[in-house]
């Protein structure tokens, strides 16, 4: 079984379309780690697609914010404006879909899907303290998103090692999973990368081969930017797409 693993699409249709085109034919099912909407200009199109194509998905904080399940008080001004704009635009069907997304962790065959942290869907997993994460390791591999940083952590018995993003200038990084270790893997953000690389990020998990491939893919950033500006969303949301921050 091969899974295409997406996270933090954030209503960026151009980035999603480029990822689907590039990965076409290389996976059996698509999984998503939350934040379908927020920031980007195509919430209905992305949710419509999600409803038809995702085999499993957990909710993200922006999905909750767009349907009134989370307070906007922790959002910065641009995020709040985008959440309110998204909420005003969602069709009743798409609103209902977002409202009913499950909270992570979601158990798959031998791995889990979470948005932020296995203990708290809204917590950012930027650092790894093995003793803090161990009680939450219910399976060998956990896929998480939320930080918009591709990479993650590999835990051996005593230590944690950082997994880096695909280097700039390359498009793929293969991780052969060691069956003795635990992994927390972030495929990166499809629609609003913040790790300094503006290319759309995603991963393919080949369960039988025991390997995860992290990938980066270019997309027409200027088209997504023009839509954000045309929608009257804050300019910073368009500008940051070009720098990946
Ligand atoms: Zn996000």
């Amino acid at each position: 079984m091969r899974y295409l693993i997406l996270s933090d699409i954030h209503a960026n249709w151009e980035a999603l379309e480029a990822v689907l085109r590039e990965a076409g034919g290389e996976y059996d099912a698509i999984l998503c780690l939350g934040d379908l909407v927020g920031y980007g200009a195509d919430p209905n199109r992305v949710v419509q697609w999600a409803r038809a194509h995702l085999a499993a998905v957990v909710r993200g904080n922006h999905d909750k914010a767009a349907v009134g399940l989370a307070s906007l008080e922790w959002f910065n001004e641009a995020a709040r404006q985008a959440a309110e704009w998204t909420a005003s635009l969602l069709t009743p069907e798409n609103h209902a879909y977002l409202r009913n997304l499950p909270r992570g962790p979601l158990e798959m065959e031998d791995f889990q899907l979470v948005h932020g942290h296995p203990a708290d869907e809204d917590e950012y997993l930027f650092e790894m303290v093995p003793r803090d994460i161990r009680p939450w390791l219910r399976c060998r591999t956990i896929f998480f998103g939320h930080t918009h940083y591709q990479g993650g952590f590999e835990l051996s018995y005593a230590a944690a090692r950082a997994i880096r993003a695909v280097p700039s200038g390359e498009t793929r990084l293969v991780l052969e999973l060691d069956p003795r270790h635990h992994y927390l893997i972030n495929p990166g953000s499809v629609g609003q990368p913040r790790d300094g690389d503006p290319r759309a990020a995603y991963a393919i998990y080949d369960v039988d081969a025991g390997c995860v491939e992290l990938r980066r893919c270019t997309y027409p950033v200027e088209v997504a930017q023009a839509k954000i500006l045309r929608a009257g969303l804050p300019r910073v949301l368009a500008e940051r797409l070009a720098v990946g921050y």
Side-chain angles (χ1 to χ4, degrees):
M1 189 74 177
R2 295 164 307 165
Y3 292 102
L4 173 63
I5 303 186
L6 309 178
S7 191
D8 299 280
I9 298 167
H10 282 293
N12 186 335
W13 178 258
E14 285 66 38
L16 175 61
E17 200 177 35
V19 164
L20 295 173
R21 195 178 313 120
E22 183 180 272
E26 295 187 73
Y27 58 85
D28 305 300
I30 311 176
L31 311 176
C32 182
L33 309 174
D35 278 1
L36 292 164
V37 301
Y39 299 132
D42 273 317
N44 279 315
R45 197 168 187 187
V46 167
V47 177
Q48 195 82 29
W49 170 85
R51 288 166 53 198
H53 293 100
L54 291 181
V57 50
V58 293
R59 67 187 188 179
N61 53 319
H62 287 261
D63 304 320
K64 289 193 288 181
V67 296
L69 287 175
S71 155
L72 297 179
E73 70 178 307
W74 299 107
F75 276 33
N76 63 41
E77 183 56 22
R80 188 186 58 74
Q81 282 185 38
E84 287 171 350
W85 178 84
T86 301
S88 74
L89 214 73
L90 286 172
T91 65
E93 296 78 15
N94 290 341
H95 184 281
Y97 176 81
L98 291 181
R99 216 179 152 79
N100 290 310
L101 288 178
R103 172 205 299 262
L106 195 64
E107 310 279 341
M108 303 298 292
E109 48 214 274
D110 66 341
F111 59 98
Q112 283 183 336
L113 311 179
V114 301
H115 183 59
H117 186 289
D120 178 352
E121 61 182 346
D122 294 330
E123 191 179 325
Y124 292 89
L125 194 48
F126 275 116
E127 287 173 8
M128 177 57 51
V129 180
R131 89 171 166 268
D132 292 348
I133 197 77
R134 262 186 214 291
W136 301 100
L137 297 177
R138 307 264 155 77
C139 55
R140 191 159 69 93
T141 306
I142 297 173
F143 290 96
F144 71 100
H146 196 31
T147 62
H148 299 208
Y149 276 62
Q150 190 177 52
F153 309 93
E154 176 179 7
L155 276 82
S156 59
Y157 179 71
R161 179 182 77 84
I163 296 167
R164 304 280 171 215
V166 176
S168 60
E170 290 175 37
T171 57
R172 294 169 186 210
L173 184 88
V174 177
L175 304 168
E176 308 269 1
L177 304 184
D178 183 328
R180 297 165 301 174
H181 295 175
H182 285 280
Y183 292 86
L184 291 108
I185 298 175
N186 189 332
S189 169
V190 172
Q192 195 201 74
R194 293 179 195 160
D195 51 9
D197 185 340
R199 295 176 296 171
Y202 68 101
I204 291 182
Y205 177 28
D206 186 328
V207 178
D208 305 315
C211 90
V212 174
E213 195 166 295
L214 299 176
R215 294 191 180 183
R216 298 306 275 240
C217 144
T218 56
Y219 73 95
V221 171
E222 63 292 345
V223 179
Q225 288 178 308
K227 285 185 182 177
I228 286 171
L229 296 176
R230 218 178 307 132
L233 289 164
R235 175 166 286 275
V236 64
L237 298 179
E239 289 170 348
R240 69 189 304 175
L241 294 182
V243 287
Y245 191 69

